[in-house]
Amino acid sequence: MARKFNFSAGPAMLPTAVIERAQAEMLDWNGSGMSTMEMSHRGKEYMSIAAKAEADLRDVMGIPDNYKVLFLQGGASSQFAMIPLNLMGDKTSADYINTGMWSKKAIAEAKRYITVNIAADTSDNGFTSVPTQAELKLDPNAAYVHYTPNETIGGVEFDYIPETNGVPLIADMSSTILSRPIDVSRFGMIYAGAQKNIGPAGLTIVIIRDDLLGKATDICPTMFNYATHADNDSMYNTPATYSWYMAGLVFEWLKGLGGLEGMAAINKRKAEKLYAVIDGSDFYANPVAINARSWMNVPFTLADAELDAAFLKGAAERGLVTLKGHRSVGGMRASIYNAMPEAGVDALVAYMQEFEAANA
Amino acid sequence: MARKFNFSAGPAMLPTAVIERAQAEMLDWNGSGMSTMEMSHRGKEYMSIAAKAEADLRDVMGIPDNYKVLFLQGGASSQFAMIPLNLMGDKTSADYINTGMWSKKAIAEAKRYITVNIAADTSDNGFTSVPTQAELKLDPNAAYVHYTPNETIGGVEFDYIPETNGVPLIADMSSTILSRPIDVSRFGMIYAGAQKNIGPAGLTIVIIRDDLLGKATDICPTMFNYATHADNDSMYNTPATYSWYMAGLVFEWLKGLGGLEGMAAINKRKAEKLYAVIDGSDFYANPVAINARSWMNVPFTLADAELDAAFLKGAAERGLVTLKGHRSVGGMRASIYNAMPEAGVDALVAYMQEFEAANA
């Protein structure tokens, strides 16, 4: 058995050390005589697992005490409705920054519940940049400002946190959370599907400032109301217990690597290696503005798209898999989340150079 | 390491053979070089796992072709809102049968969206019976009839399927699905949280008749619309991939036991053994009408509640755990889902007899 280097955009690689530990604990967690997925979520053992995971995430991210951390289900796609349903309050509009496919999905769902003001839109350049702070047309009366700090498909990442002058800033961090330190206090709410940098799919983390809770509209389903979950420590109903446990193992692993500072240094190096081989060649190309390039998702095209199939085949033969780009962008996409070892990036870089030499 | 006999109401035991297989496949599924939880849900390998799980469930339950099977998130609690939001159509009311705690929760959420007619209510006798067909006050103009075939807390199970004369019958089967054969064609929709008889928490199965799709109200969030998921084979967004895979292993295991006929024979025997020791004693009691006793959840009280703690302590010493009853009922509750081996029930029965002899 050889573990592959899996460049999937999500669900994605998990650290091999984490998978090995989950395997070892599978039949019998800590002498309990059962798997964590078999435990009552109300029992002492599972409660300790859940509490430790939250404490470790708070520690790793430096989450202030006036923020609740929720372990929910339904993915970022559910958040797209939950955000307006919970946060509109007595306001009539919200600001959305449109930088790609995931921004657009959030906007489409929000429009069903609230007037959406597009504060900036980079579709003119094919979503290859991020707007500057000066370009943001922010409404001081907006209920909130929503943006997507990292667009998984376009490979575009904000290099700054927008200043919203007191209007709550809401961020879909699904594909960037835990990749580097961030100042949580700048945000009203952060949310992320787990299946990229946190753990298995089916878990969604929401980090929300206390004062934003308790304002849901009348039509908001009980299970879509953040207060429901905040008031019950995410155990109003049975949570995704196993995914929560796995996330806890990932948070522990991150702490062992030196937390987000340590992780950021590795991620920066990995991304720089990959962009260097792309930029150093006329054979590979990435269209994204230098300042807006994602550390996590690196799309690139080959000079001749007819070579794509051969590139993917050769990569797979070397254990480098799930490199095909999203159909809306074409070419390749290497997602290099936290769990992708630097050795995986090195192997990809070596293969890209080899393939170019043989085919350019 | 000794596996415990875990009588949790959910999350609950999974078959040891299933857990062992998941453990063996954890680092490398079928030579893929990755765990199933690391696979892209759009990839060929994961798609084959998902499709096989659905096919096996259809086979095991005998689900007709005009029903869609959805693999969702959010638990039965999310369904409580999704049902009226999707199924009210141009009707103004729905019928609900109230037989316990979970019925009540479904009713409370439905009332936020539709007029609820209580077709029957057994609260007068403390939820220890099921209404007869003749006692059901059904409205022919109701959008649907909702009931809970098995109440997990009260340990009350319907011994018949209500006849609704063409009005769609909706059943929360969370704690009874897959425990015995059922005629799916009698239902408009069946739903079940996975964490009792299907797999890990965080997965919800919905089996819905085609003609009930596509009628969601305007306010229904996209992710709460059954049609969203039916139109995309439950992959509109990233599903709970690992839980879906685990459910597939459970479905395979069920087929190996002879499907639901084989499972029912075992479950009937397990339940009869436990009720026999309760009924054959003045020390233990179960208040539920004989015809309405659950095969899956067996609550019982001791003659003297002051012995509860000693009973639980002795049970735990014998590897019989999570037997404490729900706080609303008191005493004990033995949940004996499919994965509880008959040997577990035998061990519990022997311990109950021993404890009675020592303390009666």
Side-chain angles (χ1 to χ4, degrees), chain A residues 1-6 8-16 19-20 22-28 31-42 72-78 81 85 102 105 109 112-113 195 199-204 217-224 236-243 246 321-322 327, chain B residues 1-6 8-16 19-20 22-28 31-42 72-78 81 85 102 105 109 112-113 195 199-204 217-224 236-243 246 321-322 327:
Chain A
M1 189 279 298
R3 295 262 299 162
K4 299 276 170 68
F5 292 122
N6 172 16
S8 172
M13 283 190 86
L14 287 164
T16 298
I19 301 268
E20 283 172 345
Q23 183 182 44
E25 296 178 346
M26 188 57 123
L27 279 152
D28 180 22
S32 64
M34 58 183 92
S35 166
T36 56
M37 71 178 81
E38 299 174 296
M39 291 177 177
S40 168
H41 57 300
R42 311 276 183 207
L72 306 182
Q73 299 182 49
S77 295
S78 293
L85 286 170
W102 290 102
K105 290 193 179 207
E109 187 72 358
R112 302 184 56 223
Y113 301 105
Q195 66 271 16
L203 178 70
T204 311
T217 57
D218 286 347
I219 62 167
C220 182
T222 300
M223 284 290 291
F224 265 24
Y236 171 77
N237 73 326
T238 312
T241 48
Y242 192 70
S243 299
M246 287 295 300
V321 299
T322 332
R327 62 186 178 284
Chain B
M1 188 279 297
R3 295 264 296 163
K4 297 278 171 68
F5 292 122
N6 172 16
S8 172
M13 282 191 86
L14 287 164
T16 299
I19 300 267
E20 284 173 344
Q23 183 182 43
E25 295 179 347
M26 187 57 123
L27 278 153
D28 180 23
S32 65
M34 59 184 91
S35 167
T36 56
M37 73 178 80
E38 299 174 296
M39 291 178 177
S40 168
H41 58 299
R42 312 275 184 208
L72 307 183
Q73 299 180 50
S77 296
S78 293
L85 287 169
W102 290 101
K105 290 193 180 206
E109 185 74 358
R112 303 183 57 222
Y113 301 105
Q195 66 271 18
L203 178 70
T204 311
T217 57
D218 286 348
I219 61 167
C220 182
T222 299
M223 283 290 291
F224 265 25
Y236 171 77
N237 73 325
T238 311
T241 49
Y242 192 71
S243 299
M246 287 295 300
V321 299
T322 332
R327 63 187 179 282

Side-chain angles (χ1 to χ4, degrees), chain B residues 265-279:
Chain B
I266 299 168
N267 284 331
K268 182 168 189 286
R269 215 159 55 223
K270 281 156 53 184
E272 284 175 351
K273 283 181 178 180
L274 199 43
Y275 288 115
V277 72
I278 293 168
D279 290 342

Side-chain angles (χ1 to χ4, degrees), chain A residues 16 29 55 101 120-121 141 186 192 198 209 213 243 256 303-305 316 346:
Chain A
T16 298
W29 182 83
M101 183 79 92
D121 184 330
N141 288 313
R186 298 281 304 275
I198 296 171
R209 214 173 56 211
L213 293 165
S243 299
D304 179 357
D346 291 341

Side-chain angles (χ1 to χ4, degrees), chain A residues 113-135:
Chain A
Y113 301 105
I114 194 169
T115 300
V116 168
N117 166 44
I118 302 296
D121 184 330
T122 58
S123 57
D124 279 358
N125 63 37
F127 295 124
T128 56
S129 70
V130 294
T132 63
Q133 175 74 46
E135 287 168 340

Side-chain angles (χ1 to χ4, degrees), chain B:
Chain B
M1 188 279 297
R3 295 264 296 163
K4 297 278 171 68
F5 292 122
N6 172 16
F7 294 89
S8 172
M13 282 191 86
L14 287 164
T16 299
V18 165
I19 300 267
E20 284 173 344
R21 179 155 165 208
Q23 183 182 43
E25 295 179 347
M26 187 57 123
L27 278 153
D28 180 23
W29 182 83
N30 206 19
S32 65
M34 59 184 91
S35 167
T36 56
M37 73 178 80
E38 299 174 296
M39 291 178 177
S40 168
H41 58 299
R42 312 275 184 208
K44 210 189 308 181
E45 282 156 332
Y46 189 78
M47 298 278 277
S48 76
I49 291 169
K52 181 173 189 314
E54 180 180 336
D56 282 346
L57 179 62
R58 285 184 174 276
D59 184 21
V60 164
M61 288 186 69
I63 299 171
D65 289 345
N66 63 324
Y67 287 73
K68 288 275 194 293
V69 177
L70 310 179
F71 291 78
L72 307 183
Q73 299 180 50
S77 296
S78 293
Q79 297 302 314
F80 298 162
M82 290 171 77
I83 289 163
L85 287 169
N86 279 272
L87 304 181
M88 58 201 291
D90 52 7
K91 304 285 191 177
T92 56
S93 72
D95 288 349
Y96 277 73
I97 302 174
N98 181 15
T99 53
M101 184 80 91
W102 290 101
S103 302
K104 280 163 74 173
K105 290 193 180 206
I107 290 165
E109 185 74 358
K111 278 184 174 171
R112 303 183 57 222
Y113 301 105
I114 193 169
T115 300
V116 168
N117 166 42
I118 302 296
D121 185 328
T122 58
S123 57
D124 279 356
N125 62 37
F127 296 125
T128 57
S129 70
V130 294
T132 64
Q133 175 74 45
E135 288 168 338
L136 301 178
K137 295 191 187 68
L138 298 176
D139 174 0
N141 287 314
Y144 56 87
V145 180
H146 180 280
Y147 83 123
T148 310
N150 186 78
E151 287 279 358
T152 318
I153 293 173
V156 169
E157 186 161 13
F158 275 75
D159 57 343
Y160 71 99
I161 299 174
E163 174 55 57
T164 56
N165 298 305
V167 176
L169 179 62
I170 316 298
D172 176 357
M173 290 205 183
S174 295
S175 52
T176 182
I177 193 166
L178 299 176
S179 67
R180 61 175 94 188
I182 52 152
D183 180 356
V184 174
S185 73
R186 298 282 305 276
F187 297 86
M189 185 183 121
I190 289 166
Y191 65 102
Q195 66 271 18
K196 297 159 196 294
N197 262 342
I198 295 171
L203 178 70
T204 311
I205 302 278
V206 170
I207 301 165
I208 183 167
R209 214 173 58 210
D210 280 348
D211 62 291
L212 299 178
L213 294 165
K215 298 177 182 176
T217 57
D218 286 348
I219 61 167
C220 182
T222 299
M223 283 290 291
F224 265 25
N225 189 331
Y226 296 126
T228 300
H229 303 290
D231 291 347
N232 291 282
D233 295 328
S234 305
M235 294 201 186
Y236 171 77
N237 73 325
T238 311
T241 49
Y242 192 71
S243 299
W244 190 336
Y245 151 78
M246 287 295 300
L249 297 187
V250 170
F251 303 152
E252 269 193 56
W253 172 82
L254 270 173
K255 290 177 80 167
L257 287 182
L260 298 191
E261 288 79 8
M263 198 70 249
I266 299 168
N267 284 331
K268 182 168 189 286
R269 215 159 55 223
K270 281 156 53 184
E272 284 175 351
K273 283 181 178 180
L274 199 43
Y275 288 115
V277 72
I278 293 168
D279 290 342
S281 135
D282 293 328
F283 188 77
Y284 300 110
N286 170 295
V288 178
I290 301 286
N291 74 301
R293 282 177 167 180
S294 170
W295 282 8
M296 296 284 104
N297 309 100
V298 183
F300 61 92
T301 50
L302 276 56
D304 179 358
E306 297 211 344
L307 291 170
D308 285 1
F311 181 91
L312 289 165
K313 183 164 177 290
E317 285 163 8
R318 286 157 181 80
L320 309 170
V321 299
T322 332
L323 277 164
K324 192 173 182 189
H326 191 271
R327 63 187 179 282
S328 66
V329 175
M332 309 295 148
R333 174 174 49 172
S335 293
I336 50 174
Y337 298 118
N338 288 351
M340 171 60 67
E342 194 161 351
V345 174
D346 291 341
L348 176 59
V349 162
Y351 170 63
M352 288 170 71
Q353 291 170 327
E354 184 189 325
F355 188 85
E356 179 180 357
N359 293 279

